[in-house]
Amino acid sequence: MKDVLTLKQISGITTRINSELDLPILLTVIMDTARELLDTQGASLLLYDRDSEELIFDIARGERSGILARKRIPKGQGIAGECARTRKAIIVNDAQSDPRLLRTIDQASGFVTRKLIAVPMEARGELIGVLEAVNTMDGRDFTSRDVRLLTFLSAMAGLAIYNRRLYANLMDRMEELNCIHEISRSLHEHDDLEPMLDAILTAIEEVLDVERLSLALRERASGDFKIHRTRGFSLEENDLRIDPERGVASMVLKSGEPLLVRDLVRDLGFTTENAGRYRTSSFISVPILVGDHVKGLLNAADKKNGNPFDQFELKVLTTIAAQLSSAIQRLDARSREIEIRMYRKDLETAANIQRNSLPEIPAEIAGVKMAAGYEACRDVGGDFYDFHYHSENLMSFVMADVSGKGVPAALFMEYSKTLLAAHIPRLIHPVKSLTEVNAELIRNSRMGLFVTVMLVQVERDMDRLRLASAGHNHQILYRARTGTIESLSGQGPPLGTFEGAEYREKIYHYDKGDLLVLYTDGISEAQKQNFEQYGEDRLFDLIRRLGHLEPTEIVKAIFADVNDFIEGAEQMDDATVMVVRL
């Protein structure tokens, strides 16, 4: 064997090593070159795994070399391990007598190692692995000349492997970044959660090359975490819920921090039996955060190549989880927007139904002129009025105000109005009507609401008002001849508050042309931004000034005056007015 390589040989070796971009093929080229260069029966290349600090028989060339593939040697053990530890070349010309020889390797391969030379492979100060040549073809001993030749090759090989790894990592990172980009685009393309989750897991599965994936989300109703999607495995229904106090998931749920586990047994103390659920012992779990709260979990396990997960993969999944969080919030916001839109539409429908349920007050009947107006502070309200025509000489007017606002008040209003409409024409007696309705509300209503009512029965043949009040505010009798105002009131609690409540009747006489004004406290208690109220005195003064006008004009004037007074402040209560020229 020549002591010195010719320029042609150096050029040939350099060309062979540098022309191959594929790392596995490059390693094979290095092994074949080592065998040819030193004229040996076999050669092996052991790559150094920094995470486990082990040497791996990634490539071996020679008889029965396939048996050695992927076998691991701890750093410092065996001749190759010692070479890696010291980073110095080792020559052994009587391997069978050397205690450092790992006989298990020979036993596994059926190969007898008689002579061995090992040199470290390094690049940029980093240990890449160990290059070995075994058993010279002519039986000669390895010498320092072989060390120089193999060291020359290992230097070129180490740098080539380093660069190919760098290139491969760059390509992987580009692919992973493209994955993130595609996932990001996919997130914004989907308007439904379920297809979006399928697309995300498919992309992760392809790019990270993992066998097992799962995605869990917190359920709104129960607050429990439930697995919504899996890849590579399936679960029974009773296994879909995640125990927040056990397992890897509990650690992430409690901390809100992503977790990278390289070895479940070594890092987390799992038993071999528990870790046996997975083909590998490496695991990633990242939280899907909305603000400071964990909305879900994204989990990955079992890389197809058997390697543990690394920090970059953790960063990729963390980025995806953050994007998924934003997408879930976007879909939730859209869902809430749709719900609100539907709710508003339902409210508009309810408001229309409610407005249509209020009676159309005739402008005049049997010589009695009347008008009514109603403004709800929300889409639907709790005020209502009613008119019952019994005969030319007998009519009943109702003004009522339900406690509360919105839909519950509107529902209770309809129920109360229905009961009053059923009893008033039947009994034609204010006190008896209120008493009967109160009993039915106490017996049948479970809504926790009540209603104040002023029921005025006009007896025209006797020129008198016969009334009963269920906790309603004072009403107005404007005496046209004197221009004075008399407050109308009665005694009794609101309907629906007390079982067996008693109501007292009051009688007021009037003159033809007098004005009956019924209203709710939404008029008198309307207020400005500074909480100053409109008040009864302003209403009384307005009635005195406008008492000569038609009922329709008076109703419009009252609402206009109240709106001018509050100066654009939000209406805090429903407002209702009914005006009757007696």
Side-chain angles (χ1 to χ4, degrees):
M1 186 184 71
K2 293 182 179 180
D3 189 22
V4 179
L5 293 175
T6 66
L7 184 61
K8 184 178 179 180
Q9 287 176 311
I10 294 174
S11 176
I13 292 171
T14 303
T15 301
R16 290 179 67 186
I17 289 178
N18 291 330
S19 62
E20 185 53 62
L21 289 177
D22 186 77
L23 184 58
I25 296 178
L26 171 64
L27 300 180
T28 301
V29 168
I30 294 170
M31 292 300 92
D32 290 340
T33 303
R35 291 178 65 200
E36 293 172 10
L37 193 60
L38 273 66
D39 194 25
T40 59
Q41 292 179 352
S44 59
L45 193 156
L46 295 86
L47 294 178
Y48 179 60
D49 184 349
R50 284 181 296 175
D51 294 328
S52 64
E53 295 188 338
E54 293 175 319
L55 291 170
I56 305 171
F57 272 100
D58 201 285
I59 295 291
R61 299 293 280 177
E63 298 177 6
R64 306 177 65 83
S65 60
I67 297 176
L68 298 180
R70 309 308 299 175
K71 286 192 174 297
R72 292 173 174 264
I73 298 174
K75 184 179 177 182
Q77 291 188 18
I79 296 172
E82 179 71 9
C83 177
R85 186 184 67 81
T86 62
R87 298 199 186 190
K88 293 181 179 180
I90 297 176
I91 294 177
V92 178
N93 285 317
D94 185 7
Q96 293 299 314
S97 300
D98 196 306
R100 294 173 297 179
L101 179 68
L102 291 178
R103 301 183 186 281
T104 54
I105 300 296
D106 278 7
Q107 291 170 1
S109 65
F111 188 86
V112 178
T113 302
R114 294 185 295 274
K115 302 176 187 295
L116 183 147
I117 182 172
V119 296
M121 286 191 302
E122 298 179 89
R124 302 184 187 279
E126 178 182 326
L127 179 64
I128 302 298
V130 173
L131 185 57
E132 290 183 332
V134 181
N135 297 348
T136 56
M137 294 295 291
D138 57 6
R140 64 181 177 81
D141 287 346
F142 288 115
T143 67
S144 59
R145 291 175 301 175
D146 297 303
V147 171
R148 287 195 298 271
L149 290 174
L150 198 58
T151 300
F152 163 76
L153 180 60
S154 71
M156 294 185 62
L159 187 59
I161 292 171
Y162 180 88
N163 289 335
R164 299 309 185 278
R165 280 177 169 176
L166 199 61
Y167 176 79
N169 286 337
L170 180 60
M171 292 298 101
D172 288 344
R173 297 324 179 220
M174 287 180 62
E175 187 176 359
E176 288 162 354
L177 290 174
N178 285 333
C179 165
I180 293 175
H181 172 71
E182 289 300 319
I183 289 173
S184 178
R185 190 175 68 176
S186 176
L187 289 173
H188 291 283
E189 286 178 350
H190 288 86
D191 292 329
D192 295 320
L193 180 63
E194 303 304 326
M196 182 182 72
L197 297 182
D198 284 331
I200 290 172
L201 290 190
T202 298
I204 296 173
E205 185 180 23
E206 291 177 354
V207 174
L208 296 188
D209 205 27
V210 296
E211 293 182 356
R212 294 165 64 100
L213 289 168
S214 65
L215 193 150
L217 295 175
R218 183 191 289 271
E219 295 186 315
R220 285 185 181 179
S222 65
D224 295 339
F225 285 90
K226 185 176 180 181
I227 295 178
H228 278 246
R229 285 290 185 279
T230 63
R231 285 287 191 280
F233 68 103
S234 59
L235 293 171
E236 298 295 332
E237 180 64 30
N238 58 352
D239 292 328
L240 291 178
R241 296 192 181 277
I242 293 177
D243 187 344
E245 301 298 328
R246 298 176 58 191
V248 176
S250 68
M251 301 171 66
V252 180
L253 290 177
K254 291 177 181 178
S255 68
E257 298 291 336
L259 180 65
L260 167 61
V261 180
R262 297 186 184 278
D263 190 308
L264 288 168
V265 176
R266 185 182 62 195
D267 297 343
L268 297 182
F270 273 46
T271 64
T272 304
E273 181 181 355
N274 289 336
R277 295 175 53 193
Y278 305 97
R279 189 174 61 80
T280 69
S281 291
S282 188
F283 190 94
I284 290 180
S285 180
V286 296
I288 301 169
L289 297 173
V290 176
D292 295 330
H293 302 286
V294 179
K295 176 76 173 181
L297 294 175
L298 181 58
N299 305 310
D302 290 352
K303 291 183 67 173
K304 291 180 181 178
N305 61 11
N307 291 335
F309 291 103
D310 59 26
Q311 287 293 329
F312 191 86
E313 289 156 334
L314 177 65
K315 188 181 296 183
V316 168
L317 288 180
T318 302
T319 302
I320 293 172
Q323 292 182 334
L324 181 57
S325 170
S326 298
I328 289 174
Q329 292 181 74
R330 175 175 59 83
L331 293 180
D332 284 347
R334 181 173 296 179
S335 176
R336 286 194 297 269
E337 183 181 346
I338 293 173
E339 289 176 1
I340 290 172
R341 200 157 47 231
M342 294 178 62
Y343 177 70
R344 285 175 177 169
K345 186 176 181 180
D346 290 343
L347 281 181
E348 289 175 6
T349 303
N352 288 330
I353 293 172
Q354 187 178 41
R355 280 191 292 270
N356 292 331
S357 73
L358 294 173
E360 291 187 9
I361 300 296
E364 183 175 353
I365 186 169
V368 177
K369 295 182 178 180
M370 61 191 77
Y374 166 77
E375 288 185 2
C377 71
R378 299 184 183 178
D379 294 303
V380 290
D383 283 6
F384 67 92
Y385 59 86
D386 209 348
F387 163 70
H388 298 274
Y389 179 82
H390 308 300
S391 68
E392 286 190 3
N393 291 319
L394 191 60
M395 305 174 193
S396 294
F397 297 88
V398 178
M399 182 60 60
D401 184 0
V402 173
S403 64
K405 303 289 181 294
V407 174
L411 293 173
F412 189 74
M413 180 213 80
E414 289 296 333
Y415 182 46
S416 303
K417 184 161 70 69
T418 300
L419 292 178
L420 286 165
H423 289 292
I424 290 172
R426 181 175 65 84
L427 298 173
I428 313 181
H429 191 288
V431 170
K432 289 182 180 178
S433 296
L434 295 185
T435 301
E436 289 289 335
V437 171
N438 180 66
E440 283 208 42
L441 287 176
I442 292 292
R443 183 167 55 250
N444 299 323
S445 176
R446 299 292 185 271
M447 300 180 69
L449 299 175
F450 59 85
V451 56
T452 67
V453 179
M454 177 64 78
L455 174 54
V456 181
Q457 189 169 293
V458 179
E459 299 174 343
R460 299 181 68 201
D461 56 344
M462 302 179 67
D463 293 333
R464 72 176 187 178
L465 305 177
R466 189 178 177 193
L467 63 84
S469 174
H472 202 72
N473 55 288
H474 292 188
Q475 305 295 280
I476 296 173
L477 176 61
Y478 172 70
R479 299 193 179 276
R481 184 173 59 83
T482 61
T484 58
I485 283 180
E486 186 171 355
S487 290
L488 307 180
S489 64
Q491 293 183 345
L495 301 181
T497 53
F498 300 108
E499 186 176 359
E502 295 184 358
Y503 300 94
R504 295 184 181 181
E505 180 180 271
K506 280 199 173 183
I507 295 177
Y508 295 85
H509 289 274
Y510 67 87
D511 294 325
K512 187 175 178 59
D514 285 352
L515 202 66
L516 174 64
V517 180
L518 306 178
Y519 64 98
T520 60
D521 56 13
I523 296 292
S524 57
E525 295 179 3
Q527 59 186 25
K528 297 181 177 181
Q529 293 281 7
N530 62 3
F531 304 110
E532 180 186 356
Q533 291 189 348
Y534 183 77
E536 288 186 342
D537 290 341
R538 283 189 178 83
L539 180 60
F540 292 170
D541 289 341
L542 184 65
I543 298 300
R544 290 189 189 99
R545 293 199 310 272
L546 306 179
H548 62 283
L549 298 178
E550 295 296 323
T552 302
E553 296 175 299
I554 295 174
V555 168
K556 291 180 180 178
I558 291 174
F559 279 108
D561 197 55
V562 170
N563 288 329
D564 288 343
F565 172 79
I566 64 176
E567 299 174 338
E570 182 182 359
Q571 185 179 342
M572 303 302 294
D573 199 358
D574 304 332
T576 309
V577 175
M578 183 187 293
V579 177
V580 181
R581 180 71 70 184
L582 299 170

